[in-house]
């Protein structure tokens, strides 16, 4: 005789649909890492090498090791960022060592803005900043495609107005 389980199957519809950040953000951050640590490597190799002798130029290996470690950490950090739009709120999850998940109810949003600095614009990226009455719940989603950032801003603003009208 076959035993049947009386347990219900887990409800997969309740799970949020997570969206990761585009790879352009990772490319931008890695390029900035290489540029800044490359300049530091050159400075650390040249100055001691010229002033104290060629053996001291080996200190240039320190910024190179830091660049290798930073390259890997940037990748891990980029993979940790994600966001999900749910019926009543927006979830933002990030962090490698210390995981942080922020829940922003649509009705609590006061301002949603899209920002893009000169480096972000060069890489075709924008960030969405969410402001609420409580400063601790302000949230940011970096490195989005500008069209996606504007779509998200418009959707969150629309949902925020609809939810706050019901208060």
């Amino acid at each position: 005789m076959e035993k049947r389980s009386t347990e219900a199957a887990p409800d997969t519809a309740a799970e949020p649909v997570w969206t990761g950040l585009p790879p352009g953000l990772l490319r931008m951050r890695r390029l900035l890492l290489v540029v800044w640590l490359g300049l530091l490597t050159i400075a650390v190799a040249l100055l001691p090498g010229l002033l104290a002798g060629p053996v001291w130029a080996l200190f240039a290996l320190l910024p190179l090791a830091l660049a290798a470690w930073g390259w890997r950490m940037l990748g891990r950090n980029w993979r940790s960022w994600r966001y999900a739009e749910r019926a009543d709120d927006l979830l933002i999850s990030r962090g490698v060592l210390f995981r942080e998940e922020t829940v922003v109810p649509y009705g609590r949003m006061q301002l949603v803005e899209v920002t893009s600095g000169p480096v972000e614009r060069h890489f075709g990226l924008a960030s969405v900043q969410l402001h609420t009455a409580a400063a601790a719940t302000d949230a940011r989603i970096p490195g989005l495609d500008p069209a996606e950032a504007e779509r998200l801003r418009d959707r969150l603003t629309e949902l925020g107005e609809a939810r706050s009208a019901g208060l």
Side-chain angles (χ1 to χ4, degrees):
M1 193 171 185
E2 183 180 318
K3 283 190 172 184
R4 293 186 181 213
S5 174
T6 57
E7 294 180 58
D11 185 14
T12 57
E15 287 293 315
V17 178
W18 293 100
T19 304
L21 298 182
L25 178 66
L26 180 60
R27 281 193 299 274
M28 178 190 76
R29 287 181 175 174
R30 282 183 169 168
L31 178 67
L32 290 173
L33 175 80
V34 168
V35 166
W36 288 112
L37 286 179
L39 291 173
L40 181 64
T41 301
I42 291 169
V44 169
L46 286 179
L47 288 177
L50 292 174
L51 298 176
V55 174
W56 290 97
L58 290 176
F59 276 111
L61 295 176
L62 293 174
L64 288 178
L66 185 62
W69 178 77
W71 186 275
R72 181 172 165 83
M73 290 300 108
L74 285 173
R76 291 183 66 193
N77 180 268
W78 171 75
R79 282 189 299 277
S80 75
W81 276 86
R82 59 190 185 157
Y83 66 96
E85 300 172 60
R86 297 194 306 182
D88 296 321
D89 50 32
L90 177 74
L91 298 175
I92 302 171
S93 178
R94 64 195 168 281
V96 177
L97 186 59
F98 296 100
R99 202 89 179 115
E100 185 176 332
E101 191 166 291
T102 304
V103 180
V104 183
Y106 296 135
R108 302 284 177 156
M109 284 189 242
Q110 292 184 331
L111 174 68
V112 181
E113 61 183 352
V114 175
T115 60
S116 184
V119 176
E120 286 179 310
R121 279 195 307 273
H122 178 75
F123 283 90
L125 300 172
S127 296
V128 174
Q129 178 77 37
L130 308 162
H131 299 279
T132 62
T137 58
D138 285 1
R140 181 174 174 266
I141 304 173
L144 296 173
D145 178 66
E148 171 64 10
E150 290 175 13
R151 183 206 64 83
L152 191 58
R153 179 200 57 207
D154 294 343
R155 175 165 163 69
L156 295 175
T157 302
E158 178 184 315
L159 289 168
E161 288 173 355
R163 297 294 192 278
S164 64
L167 292 177

